[in-house]
Amino acid sequence: MIKRAIIITLILNSIILIVVPSGHGYGIMVMFEFISIPSLLINGIEFKKEYSFENSLLLIGLVSLIGKVVLIVSLFYRNISNKKLLIFVGLTLSVIAFIGVALGAWKYDNFLFAITFGSGIPYLMYFGRVIYLINQNKTAELKVE
């Protein structure tokens, strides 16, 4: 049941709409994840005090991609304590990426924020479901012992 919820969470995170404010249109999170890999390998990671929303999308995509890879790896772990740790780390990274996208859209326009946050609501719901299922299993393990 947790595996299914994690897979649905991964899919819903991948289809979060991201609006690029400079008139470039819409994209989905998975597109920015795959764009970030070659761009960051070629140009490297540069840290500046002021990042525009368009430039930060590559870093946000990389953080989201790392979170998804960690969640996918957690699906194949047998050790329960390591599996829970990996799930929490992966979910944390994916939520950080979602918050970064939502806050970046908020700085530009409320309409952009509404589109981004509205498309992320199903993801947030399944994020909560995964956390609930992990905590439910923790209490069941304590009762068995």
Side-chain angles (χ1 to χ4, degrees), residues 49-98:
K49 281 188 173 182
E50 301 260 342
Y51 258 106
S52 66
F53 181 55
E54 293 88 359
N55 292 337
S56 67
L57 285 177
L58 294 177
L59 289 175
I60 289 170
L62 182 66
V63 169
S64 178
L65 181 66
I66 292 170
K68 286 180 186 172
V69 168
V70 169
L71 283 172
I72 290 170
V73 167
S74 74
L75 292 174
F76 299 106
Y77 255 73
R78 297 274 185 218
N79 190 350
I80 292 176
S81 63
N82 289 342
K83 185 174 190 167
K84 287 182 181 180
L85 178 66
L86 285 175
I87 290 171
F88 282 127
V89 169
L91 287 175
T92 302
L93 289 174
S94 65
V95 164
I96 288 171
F98 175 68

Side-chain angles (χ1 to χ4, degrees), residues 12 17 25 35 41 48 54 60 70 81 91 100 121 123 126 139 143:
L12 291 174
L17 284 174
I35 290 173
L41 288 176
K48 300 177 184 175
E54 293 88 359
I60 289 170
V70 169
S81 63
L91 287 175
I121 288 174
Y123 160 71
Y126 260 89
T139 57
K143 290 178 184 177

Side-chain angles (χ1 to χ4, degrees), residues 8-36:
I8 292 172
T9 303
L10 289 169
I11 292 169
L12 291 174
N13 187 345
S14 296
I15 60 172
I16 293 173
L17 284 174
I18 301 173
V19 181
V20 181
S22 299
H24 298 295
Y26 298 92
I28 56 175
M29 182 75 82
V30 73
M31 181 180 75
F32 288 102
E33 292 169 0
F34 288 119
I35 290 173
S36 70

